Amino acid sequence: MTDTRIALLLTRPLRQAKAFAERFHGHNLQICLSPLFKIVFRGDLPDLTPYQSLLFTSANAVEAFAQQVSNCQLPSFTVGQASADAARAAGLPATSLGLNVTELIATLRRAPPATPCLHACGAITHGNLAAQLTQVGIPTDAVVLYAQLPVPLQSDARLLLRGTAPVIVPLFSARSAELFNRALGQSGGAAPIYPVVLSSAVAAVLTSVKISTPEVADAPTAAAMEEAVNLVHARLMQLEQTAGAP
């Protein structure tokens, strides 16, 4: 890979990475897709008869649930509109109750759902939602329906990290940030890295001294991440123009 344009390295699972990349077609960016983990559906749902409400904190959990159950009409509450949209597409009566787990818990405490609840989730989560809700009087169980398995960076991504062109790296989760830390260390690269992160919690995971201060999105949404990437890209373009001025 010999392209010297500013690069955009997308490390989400492939389907999500491709969808996010669509937002930047026509931009003067070299786009590289190299997922750091893949989603593998596994784990069986329990008998749903006792449960009165469902909780989803990712669209992956919705898809994993929908592969096992059809025509479920339990009230469903999600983090983020994307998860709510996925749940509705799967036939669930879903409502988004916040942009993060903290907002979801606060909303459920103000207007408690029918209980007990079942939280469908991945093997790796940050904060035990089921335990937090149960502690505040909203009995909730959790069921793991998918795993997030690490994937090594592809060769073109490693070349970017070893190059000289700036690399913008959007990171949507603490898991992604953790894996990127590891991949960056293993690459031995010295490219200038500009992370864009979904939240301050994701930024806190980035410990590598090889990267610039993360740009934190204004909201934990894909649209806000797009805006943050565009902001960083504009700054880098300005720096390039200034450096090239006589």
Side-chain angles (χ1 to χ4, degrees), residues 1 6 40 43 79 85 90 102 107 110 122 143 163 167 206 214 240:
M1 182 178 291
I6 297 167
V40 177
V79 167
D85 291 344
T102 300
T107 305
R110 288 194 299 269
V143 58
V167 183
L206 289 171
E240 286 190 351

Side-chain angles (χ1 to χ4, degrees), residues 1 3-4 30 156-167 187-193:
M1 182 178 291
D3 201 325
T4 58
Q30 177 190 179
D156 52 351
R158 294 196 297 272
L159 284 175
L160 283 180
L161 297 180
R162 294 170 185 159
T164 57
V167 183
S187 74
I193 307 296

Side-chain angles (χ1 to χ4, degrees), residues 2-119:
T2 59
D3 201 325
T4 58
R5 289 176 296 165
I6 297 167
L8 180 66
L9 174 58
L10 301 178
T11 63
R12 305 186 81 186
L14 190 57
R15 185 172 59 182
Q16 291 98 320
K18 287 180 176 179
F20 194 65
E22 289 291 332
R23 296 171 178 263
F24 302 98
H25 282 180
H27 291 52
N28 187 27
L29 278 166
Q30 177 190 179
I31 297 177
C32 176
L33 276 59
S34 183
L36 283 172
F37 62 92
K38 62 181 178 180
I39 301 298
V40 177
F41 295 151
R42 65 188 189 193
D44 295 325
L45 279 168
D47 177 11
L48 295 180
T49 304
Y51 296 104
Q52 302 300 308
S53 302
L54 299 173
L55 304 175
F56 298 100
T57 47
S58 74
N60 290 318
V62 172
E63 184 175 353
F65 179 92
Q67 285 195 358
Q68 297 191 40
V69 178
S70 59
N71 301 318
C72 179
Q73 292 303 303
L74 287 174
S76 303
F77 306 103
T78 76
V79 167
Q81 193 58 48
S83 295
D85 291 344
R88 291 193 197 107
L92 292 162
T95 303
S96 173
L97 294 186
L99 295 176
N100 53 46
V101 168
T102 300
E103 291 183 3
L104 174 69
I105 292 172
T107 305
L108 291 175
R109 293 188 69 178
R110 288 194 299 269
T115 59
C117 304
L118 181 65
H119 175 210

